[in-house]
Amino acid sequence: MNETKRLNPGQALRLLLQGLGGRISIPLSVIRGRLAEMSEKVALEIEPASPGLRIRGEAHALGAPIVFAARIDADGVHIEGERRTVTIRLSEVELSTSDDAPGPLADAIRNGMIDIDNPATLIGNACSDRGGDELSVREGDSHLGRRRRARTWSPSGWAQGSSTQHRTGGPHPGGTALVARRKEPMSAFGGWNPLSKASFTSREQEFHEVAVRAADGYDNFGDPSYLEGLRRLLYSYDHEARLHQTGNIAAVYQTVGLLASRLHTERWFEMRPESANIAIERPIIITGMVRTGSTALHYLMGANPDMQCLQYWLGLHPQPRPSRASWDAATDFQHARIELDMMYRAGKNMLEAIHHMTAEGPDESGRVLGQNFSDDRFEVVSTVPTYAEWYENTVHHETYARHKRTMQMIGSYEPEKRWLLKYPVHMRNLDALLEAYPDACIIWTHRDPAEVLPSYVSLCAHFRSLFEKDLDRPRIALEQKEVWARAVENGMRLRKGREHQFHDIYFNDFMADPIGEVAKAYEHFDQPFSEPAKAALGGWRDNHKPGQFGTHNYTKDDFGQSRAQVHERYAAYLEQYPRVLEKKERSAG
């Protein structure tokens, strides 16, 4: 007789293991962070099918009703010391949803985005734990999965192979256990050695192949223009960077991660081609020098329910933005939270005090631009002068065109909402930005460069310490002083004849009356400021006080440049915007 139970996901998993005969305890921390948060409820029917089980069930996941079925067979229990691994095989997998179910998961199922040949895409890391007990998953046959011929990536394209292989890009695993989660290349592939002593340049093909496996076999990287920046970066890693061992590993994972993210984004482009026709009209874009209060302004304006912005988790995992009620259950949202937590821990919480971010909060565009390997993040975290020279002297047309395409896709469920975007680095690339968004409404944030640069160089040094040894702070200071001087000069040049597209917010004015400054910007750019929006911004301001996440302690002596030296280099900027040097009392509220 069938045994039918209504269980939460953690209970269901435990019952499955007991039915398989495996005496194993799955840590609650793993369930809480992975499987339990994937679904609000699960109705599960378990039927013995010697020597395994057959399951059928219904779940409500990410706002969509999901029907699933599979056969589970135990392949054995491996014991090594205190570590026990139950290896199972999933087969006869079926997965479906209704034609009108909303949200990205339903879209993914209907469009065949979830590869049922690879069960890792179905259960992810739900049962994986580095220490203690572990549940491994092995691939089997399925009714719905597609197979393709093996192909090998090369800079000139893909070469067709002759053997039949899985969409993961590797041969049929036979007895190889996979413990994987979609979109996490660093945990997805046994046998890959990120610690290889080979040069970065020689590993270009390897990085692409691993990224394809991380994207479940999807292999369309899109416009190949990204290769120019990637190759210059890999050259700089080999010949110029001072990477310590941890930094070397971080650079490898960053490279593969960006390639994998690029693939996932391209797949969404393919799934929602109609989003390319969505108009992005008069987006409000915050830019200016770094450390000018733009992050606080962005978070404040991002609280406005009448506008849409790029959330951190969607910058990390671009996809059509689902309803807010479904975010906490989304694996990608949970992954973004974990990444931020790991980053802040690595920085001993100092990075959070310098630049606080949340998974649900508005984020800069750097992660999206990084998919094209044309972003200043690479020169911030490592010494890469060859790459930096190319980046500085190139107008990044393709990168910003793809940025716009990504925003069209992310906002495709709410095309009527006006966009709010922010990134200081846009000032360095204003040519390409205005080409992609010719009617952009630019909020230019201003602050005394002599106050800005010591703080920013301190931030750069903290980030660079995660990648490199033997930090050269004086060199970082000189480089960044010059980089941002050229950026504001470029901004002043391009602003001529476009004054109606620009609005200035000075740091001291913003700190004295943040909501008042937002109201002025809205008025300038014809953005209604509704009562609900005013209440939302007021609530955000009241709940987020300066210094809430610690203070950024540094001295101007660390910068190594006098105030006079900085002002001399920025003389043209200070002449154009003399109010930068004014002082005003900070608001008590």
Side-chain angles (χ1 to χ4, degrees), residues 44-45 54-58 66-72 90-96 116 122 142-144:
L44 185 66
E45 183 177 302
R54 189 182 306 279
I55 63 169
R56 290 187 295 273
E58 297 180 4
I66 307 300
V67 178
F68 60 89
R71 180 187 175 95
I72 302 180
L90 288 180
S91 60
E92 303 174 20
V93 177
E94 300 176 8
L95 191 64
S96 62
I116 301 191
L122 301 177
S142 74
H143 294 311
L144 303 181

PDB file of all heavy atoms in Angstrom, residues 44-45 54-58 66-72 90-96 116 122 142-144:
ATOM      1  N   LEU A  44       3.903  14.833  -0.673  1.00  0.00           N
ATOM      2  CA  LEU A  44       4.799  13.815  -1.191  1.00  0.00           C
ATOM      3  C   LEU A  44       4.168  12.439  -1.029  1.00  0.00           C
ATOM      4  O   LEU A  44       3.700  12.079   0.050  1.00  0.00           O
ATOM      5  CB  LEU A  44       6.133  13.861  -0.446  1.00  0.00           C
ATOM      6  CG  LEU A  44       7.234  12.927  -0.950  1.00  0.00           C
ATOM      7  CD1 LEU A  44       7.673  13.357  -2.337  1.00  0.00           C
ATOM      8  CD2 LEU A  44       8.418  12.963   0.005  1.00  0.00           C
ATOM      9  N   GLU A  45       4.134  11.672  -2.107  1.00  0.00           N
ATOM     10  CA  GLU A  45       3.654  10.295  -2.083  1.00  0.00           C
ATOM     11  C   GLU A  45       4.838   9.378  -2.328  1.00  0.00           C
ATOM     12  O   GLU A  45       5.561   9.535  -3.326  1.00  0.00           O
ATOM     13  CB  GLU A  45       2.576  10.085  -3.144  1.00  0.00           C
ATOM     14  CG  GLU A  45       1.965   8.689  -3.128  1.00  0.00           C
ATOM     15  CD  GLU A  45       0.854   8.550  -4.141  1.00  0.00           C
ATOM     16  OE1 GLU A  45      -0.117   9.337  -4.058  1.00  0.00           O
ATOM     17  OE2 GLU A  45       0.967   7.676  -5.010  1.00  0.00           O
ATOM     18  N   ARG A  54       9.718   4.990  -5.447  1.00  0.00           N
ATOM     19  CA  ARG A  54       9.199   5.877  -6.467  1.00  0.00           C
ATOM     20  C   ARG A  54       8.465   7.004  -5.746  1.00  0.00           C
ATOM     21  O   ARG A  54       7.694   6.748  -4.812  1.00  0.00           O
ATOM     22  CB  ARG A  54       8.237   5.145  -7.395  1.00  0.00           C
ATOM     23  CG  ARG A  54       7.825   5.964  -8.626  1.00  0.00           C
ATOM     24  CD  ARG A  54       6.830   5.187  -9.474  1.00  0.00           C
ATOM     25  NE  ARG A  54       7.335   3.873  -9.836  1.00  0.00           N
ATOM     26  CZ  ARG A  54       8.179   3.641 -10.845  1.00  0.00           C
ATOM     27  NH1 ARG A  54       8.615   4.650 -11.568  1.00  0.00           N
ATOM     28  NH2 ARG A  54       8.584   2.411 -11.123  1.00  0.00           N
ATOM     29  N   ILE A  55       8.756   8.229  -6.117  1.00  0.00           N
ATOM     30  CA  ILE A  55       8.118   9.360  -5.459  1.00  0.00           C
ATOM     31  C   ILE A  55       7.314  10.168  -6.471  1.00  0.00           C
ATOM     32  O   ILE A  55       7.676  10.265  -7.643  1.00  0.00           O
ATOM     33  CB  ILE A  55       9.146  10.280  -4.758  1.00  0.00           C
ATOM     34  CG1 ILE A  55      10.110  10.903  -5.769  1.00  0.00           C
ATOM     35  CG2 ILE A  55       9.897   9.552  -3.672  1.00  0.00           C
ATOM     36  CD1 ILE A  55      10.967  12.001  -5.173  1.00  0.00           C
ATOM     37  N   ARG A  56       6.216  10.690  -5.991  1.00  0.00           N
ATOM     38  CA  ARG A  56       5.425  11.644  -6.767  1.00  0.00           C
ATOM     39  C   ARG A  56       5.027  12.753  -5.811  1.00  0.00           C
ATOM     40  O   ARG A  56       4.775  12.496  -4.629  1.00  0.00           O
ATOM     41  CB  ARG A  56       4.174  10.977  -7.352  1.00  0.00           C
ATOM     42  CG  ARG A  56       4.440   9.988  -8.453  1.00  0.00           C
ATOM     43  CD  ARG A  56       3.137   9.514  -9.089  1.00  0.00           C
ATOM     44  NE  ARG A  56       2.337   8.754  -8.137  1.00  0.00           N
ATOM     45  CZ  ARG A  56       2.470   7.443  -7.929  1.00  0.00           C
ATOM     46  NH1 ARG A  56       3.393   6.773  -8.609  1.00  0.00           N
ATOM     47  NH2 ARG A  56       1.714   6.815  -7.073  1.00  0.00           N
ATOM     48  N   GLY A  57       4.974  13.954  -6.293  1.00  0.00           N
ATOM     49  CA  GLY A  57       4.633  15.014  -5.369  1.00  0.00           C
ATOM     50  C   GLY A  57       4.241  16.301  -6.048  1.00  0.00           C
ATOM     51  O   GLY A  57       4.346  16.451  -7.271  1.00  0.00           O
ATOM     52  N   GLU A  58       3.763  17.208  -5.235  1.00  0.00           N
ATOM     53  CA  GLU A  58       3.428  18.551  -5.671  1.00  0.00           C
ATOM     54  C   GLU A  58       4.066  19.525  -4.703  1.00  0.00           C
ATOM     55  O   GLU A  58       4.124  19.268  -3.498  1.00  0.00           O
ATOM     56  CB  GLU A  58       1.908  18.755  -5.689  1.00  0.00           C
ATOM     57  CG  GLU A  58       1.176  17.861  -6.666  1.00  0.00           C
ATOM     58  CD  GLU A  58      -0.325  18.103  -6.634  1.00  0.00           C
ATOM     59  OE1 GLU A  58      -0.747  19.017  -5.891  1.00  0.00           O
ATOM     60  OE2 GLU A  58      -1.057  17.388  -7.339  1.00  0.00           O
ATOM     61  N   ILE A  66       4.397  23.144  -8.824  1.00  0.00           N
ATOM     62  CA  ILE A  66       5.302  22.228  -9.505  1.00  0.00           C
ATOM     63  C   ILE A  66       4.853  20.800  -9.221  1.00  0.00           C
ATOM     64  O   ILE A  66       4.590  20.447  -8.073  1.00  0.00           O
ATOM     65  CB  ILE A  66       6.757  22.402  -9.026  1.00  0.00           C
ATOM     66  CG1 ILE A  66       7.188  23.868  -9.136  1.00  0.00           C
ATOM     67  CG2 ILE A  66       7.703  21.499  -9.814  1.00  0.00           C
ATOM     68  CD1 ILE A  66       7.144  24.427 -10.531  1.00  0.00           C
ATOM     69  N   VAL A  67       4.781  19.983 -10.253  1.00  0.00           N
ATOM     70  CA  VAL A  67       4.491  18.562 -10.122  1.00  0.00           C
ATOM     71  C   VAL A  67       5.757  17.799 -10.499  1.00  0.00           C
ATOM     72  O   VAL A  67       6.374  18.075 -11.531  1.00  0.00           O
ATOM     73  CB  VAL A  67       3.323  18.139 -11.036  1.00  0.00           C
ATOM     74  CG1 VAL A  67       3.069  16.640 -10.911  1.00  0.00           C
ATOM     75  CG2 VAL A  67       2.065  18.928 -10.687  1.00  0.00           C
ATOM     76  N   PHE A  68       6.157  16.839  -9.657  1.00  0.00           N
ATOM     77  CA  PHE A  68       7.388  16.119  -9.928  1.00  0.00           C
ATOM     78  C   PHE A  68       7.209  14.638  -9.649  1.00  0.00           C
ATOM     79  O   PHE A  68       6.326  14.222  -8.887  1.00  0.00           O
ATOM     80  CB  PHE A  68       8.541  16.676  -9.080  1.00  0.00           C
ATOM     81  CG  PHE A  68       8.309  16.579  -7.596  1.00  0.00           C
ATOM     82  CD1 PHE A  68       8.691  15.458  -6.872  1.00  0.00           C
ATOM     83  CD2 PHE A  68       7.706  17.629  -6.921  1.00  0.00           C
ATOM     84  CE1 PHE A  68       8.466  15.383  -5.511  1.00  0.00           C
ATOM     85  CE2 PHE A  68       7.480  17.564  -5.554  1.00  0.00           C
ATOM     86  CZ  PHE A  68       7.859  16.429  -4.839  1.00  0.00           C
ATOM     87  N   ALA A  69       8.046  13.828 -10.295  1.00  0.00           N
ATOM     88  CA  ALA A  69       8.050  12.384 -10.074  1.00  0.00           C
ATOM     89  C   ALA A  69       9.438  11.871 -10.403  1.00  0.00           C
ATOM     90  O   ALA A  69      10.139  12.435 -11.262  1.00  0.00           O
ATOM     91  CB  ALA A  69       7.002  11.689 -10.933  1.00  0.00           C
ATOM     92  N   ALA A  70       9.848  10.818  -9.728  1.00  0.00           N
ATOM     93  CA  ALA A  70      11.164  10.228  -9.998  1.00  0.00           C
ATOM     94  C   ALA A  70      11.268   8.874  -9.320  1.00  0.00           C
ATOM     95  O   ALA A  70      10.517   8.560  -8.383  1.00  0.00           O
ATOM     96  CB  ALA A  70      12.281  11.140  -9.504  1.00  0.00           C
ATOM     97  N   ARG A  71      12.172   8.071  -9.800  1.00  0.00           N
ATOM     98  CA  ARG A  71      12.539   6.819  -9.139  1.00  0.00           C
ATOM     99  C   ARG A  71      13.879   7.046  -8.451  1.00  0.00           C
ATOM    100  O   ARG A  71      14.784   7.663  -9.012  1.00  0.00           O
ATOM    101  CB  ARG A  71      12.649   5.672 -10.142  1.00  0.00           C
ATOM    102  CG  ARG A  71      13.038   4.338  -9.501  1.00  0.00           C
ATOM    103  CD  ARG A  71      13.314   3.272 -10.541  1.00  0.00           C
ATOM    104  NE  ARG A  71      13.796   2.062  -9.895  1.00  0.00           N
ATOM    105  CZ  ARG A  71      13.021   1.026  -9.553  1.00  0.00           C
ATOM    106  NH1 ARG A  71      11.727   1.072  -9.822  1.00  0.00           N
ATOM    107  NH2 ARG A  71      13.544  -0.028  -8.967  1.00  0.00           N
ATOM    108  N   ILE A  72      14.009   6.546  -7.220  1.00  0.00           N
ATOM    109  CA  ILE A  72      15.243   6.679  -6.457  1.00  0.00           C
ATOM    110  C   ILE A  72      15.733   5.289  -6.088  1.00  0.00           C
ATOM    111  O   ILE A  72      15.011   4.511  -5.472  1.00  0.00           O
ATOM    112  CB  ILE A  72      15.039   7.506  -5.174  1.00  0.00           C
ATOM    113  CG1 ILE A  72      14.515   8.899  -5.516  1.00  0.00           C
ATOM    114  CG2 ILE A  72      16.334   7.602  -4.386  1.00  0.00           C
ATOM    115  CD1 ILE A  72      14.287   9.775  -4.302  1.00  0.00           C
ATOM    116  N   LEU A  90      18.951   8.854  -9.411  1.00  0.00           N
ATOM    117  CA  LEU A  90      17.645   9.357  -9.839  1.00  0.00           C
ATOM    118  C   LEU A  90      17.397   8.930 -11.276  1.00  0.00           C
ATOM    119  O   LEU A  90      18.279   9.068 -12.130  1.00  0.00           O
ATOM    120  CB  LEU A  90      17.598  10.884  -9.765  1.00  0.00           C
ATOM    121  CG  LEU A  90      17.540  11.548  -8.394  1.00  0.00           C
ATOM    122  CD1 LEU A  90      17.506  13.049  -8.573  1.00  0.00           C
ATOM    123  CD2 LEU A  90      16.349  11.082  -7.599  1.00  0.00           C
ATOM    124  N   SER A  91      16.205   8.440 -11.559  1.00  0.00           N
ATOM    125  CA  SER A  91      15.856   8.091 -12.933  1.00  0.00           C
ATOM    126  C   SER A  91      14.365   8.316 -13.137  1.00  0.00           C
ATOM    127  O   SER A  91      13.627   8.588 -12.180  1.00  0.00           O
ATOM    128  CB  SER A  91      16.224   6.629 -13.224  1.00  0.00           C
ATOM    129  OG  SER A  91      15.519   5.750 -12.356  1.00  0.00           O
ATOM    130  N   GLU A  92      13.932   8.204 -14.373  1.00  0.00           N
ATOM    131  CA  GLU A  92      12.517   8.380 -14.717  1.00  0.00           C
ATOM    132  C   GLU A  92      11.972   9.689 -14.142  1.00  0.00           C
ATOM    133  O   GLU A  92      10.871   9.752 -13.597  1.00  0.00           O
ATOM    134  CB  GLU A  92      11.690   7.189 -14.218  1.00  0.00           C
ATOM    135  CG  GLU A  92      12.166   5.849 -14.758  1.00  0.00           C
ATOM    136  CD  GLU A  92      11.433   4.674 -14.148  1.00  0.00           C
ATOM    137  OE1 GLU A  92      10.325   4.878 -13.612  1.00  0.00           O
ATOM    138  OE2 GLU A  92      11.959   3.552 -14.217  1.00  0.00           O
ATOM    139  N   VAL A  93      12.766  10.736 -14.289  1.00  0.00           N
ATOM    140  CA  VAL A  93      12.410  12.024 -13.707  1.00  0.00           C
ATOM    141  C   VAL A  93      11.385  12.740 -14.592  1.00  0.00           C
ATOM    142  O   VAL A  93      11.520  12.792 -15.817  1.00  0.00           O
ATOM    143  CB  VAL A  93      13.660  12.911 -13.546  1.00  0.00           C
ATOM    144  CG1 VAL A  93      13.277  14.283 -13.004  1.00  0.00           C
ATOM    145  CG2 VAL A  93      14.669  12.239 -12.630  1.00  0.00           C
ATOM    146  N   GLU A  94      10.363  13.274 -13.970  1.00  0.00           N
ATOM    147  CA  GLU A  94       9.371  14.085 -14.653  1.00  0.00           C
ATOM    148  C   GLU A  94       9.171  15.367 -13.855  1.00  0.00           C
ATOM    149  O   GLU A  94       9.146  15.337 -12.635  1.00  0.00           O
ATOM    150  CB  GLU A  94       8.040  13.337 -14.787  1.00  0.00           C
ATOM    151  CG  GLU A  94       8.149  12.040 -15.576  1.00  0.00           C
ATOM    152  CD  GLU A  94       6.836  11.284 -15.609  1.00  0.00           C
ATOM    153  OE1 GLU A  94       5.824  11.865 -15.152  1.00  0.00           O
ATOM    154  OE2 GLU A  94       6.830  10.129 -16.063  1.00  0.00           O
ATOM    155  N   LEU A  95       9.028  16.469 -14.562  1.00  0.00           N
ATOM    156  CA  LEU A  95       8.883  17.776 -13.911  1.00  0.00           C
ATOM    157  C   LEU A  95       7.981  18.638 -14.778  1.00  0.00           C
ATOM    158  O   LEU A  95       8.197  18.761 -15.983  1.00  0.00           O
ATOM    159  CB  LEU A  95      10.254  18.447 -13.755  1.00  0.00           C
ATOM    160  CG  LEU A  95      10.361  19.681 -12.872  1.00  0.00           C
ATOM    161  CD1 LEU A  95      10.045  19.349 -11.428  1.00  0.00           C
ATOM    162  CD2 LEU A  95      11.764  20.274 -12.971  1.00  0.00           C
ATOM    163  N   SER A  96       6.940  19.219 -14.185  1.00  0.00           N
ATOM    164  CA  SER A  96       6.019  20.016 -14.996  1.00  0.00           C
ATOM    165  C   SER A  96       5.379  21.097 -14.139  1.00  0.00           C
ATOM    166  O   SER A  96       5.440  21.068 -12.907  1.00  0.00           O
ATOM    167  CB  SER A  96       4.933  19.115 -15.595  1.00  0.00           C
ATOM    168  OG  SER A  96       4.151  18.511 -14.569  1.00  0.00           O
ATOM    169  N   ILE A 116      17.005  17.798 -16.960  1.00  0.00           N
ATOM    170  CA  ILE A 116      16.619  16.661 -16.138  1.00  0.00           C
ATOM    171  C   ILE A 116      17.597  15.511 -16.299  1.00  0.00           C
ATOM    172  O   ILE A 116      17.598  14.575 -15.518  1.00  0.00           O
ATOM    173  CB  ILE A 116      15.163  16.256 -16.459  1.00  0.00           C
ATOM    174  CG1 ILE A 116      14.267  17.455 -16.185  1.00  0.00           C
ATOM    175  CG2 ILE A 116      14.718  15.068 -15.668  1.00  0.00           C
ATOM    176  CD1 ILE A 116      12.808  17.196 -16.192  1.00  0.00           C
ATOM    177  N   LEU A 122      18.224  19.617 -10.044  1.00  0.00           N
ATOM    178  CA  LEU A 122      16.940  19.490  -9.377  1.00  0.00           C
ATOM    179  C   LEU A 122      17.073  19.625  -7.863  1.00  0.00           C
ATOM    180  O   LEU A 122      16.273  20.295  -7.222  1.00  0.00           O
ATOM    181  CB  LEU A 122      16.311  18.129  -9.697  1.00  0.00           C
ATOM    182  CG  LEU A 122      16.074  17.846 -11.186  1.00  0.00           C
ATOM    183  CD1 LEU A 122      15.517  16.443 -11.354  1.00  0.00           C
ATOM    184  CD2 LEU A 122      15.106  18.853 -11.761  1.00  0.00           C
ATOM    185  N   SER A 142      16.341   9.522 -17.935  1.00  0.00           N
ATOM    186  CA  SER A 142      15.127  10.283 -17.671  1.00  0.00           C
ATOM    187  C   SER A 142      14.268  10.307 -18.921  1.00  0.00           C
ATOM    188  O   SER A 142      14.740  10.044 -20.026  1.00  0.00           O
ATOM    189  CB  SER A 142      15.467  11.712 -17.266  1.00  0.00           C
ATOM    190  OG  SER A 142      15.896  12.448 -18.376  1.00  0.00           O
ATOM    191  N   HIS A 143      12.995  10.614 -18.723  1.00  0.00           N
ATOM    192  CA  HIS A 143      12.091  10.698 -19.860  1.00  0.00           C
ATOM    193  C   HIS A 143      12.238  12.020 -20.594  1.00  0.00           C
ATOM    194  O   HIS A 143      11.991  12.096 -21.795  1.00  0.00           O
ATOM    195  CB  HIS A 143      10.647  10.560 -19.382  1.00  0.00           C
ATOM    196  CG  HIS A 143      10.333   9.220 -18.808  1.00  0.00           C
ATOM    197  ND1 HIS A 143      10.658   8.051 -19.442  1.00  0.00           N
ATOM    198  CD2 HIS A 143       9.721   8.856 -17.632  1.00  0.00           C
ATOM    199  CE1 HIS A 143      10.255   7.011 -18.714  1.00  0.00           C
ATOM    200  NE2 HIS A 143       9.685   7.477 -17.613  1.00  0.00           N
ATOM    201  N   LEU A 144      12.632  13.067 -19.869  1.00  0.00           N
ATOM    202  CA  LEU A 144      12.545  14.407 -20.443  1.00  0.00           C
ATOM    203  C   LEU A 144      13.878  15.000 -20.832  1.00  0.00           C
ATOM    204  O   LEU A 144      13.925  15.993 -21.525  1.00  0.00           O
ATOM    205  CB  LEU A 144      11.844  15.347 -19.446  1.00  0.00           C
ATOM    206  CG  LEU A 144      10.454  14.918 -19.000  1.00  0.00           C
ATOM    207  CD1 LEU A 144       9.884  15.952 -18.039  1.00  0.00           C
ATOM    208  CD2 LEU A 144       9.531  14.746 -20.192  1.00  0.00           C
TER     209      LEU A 144
END
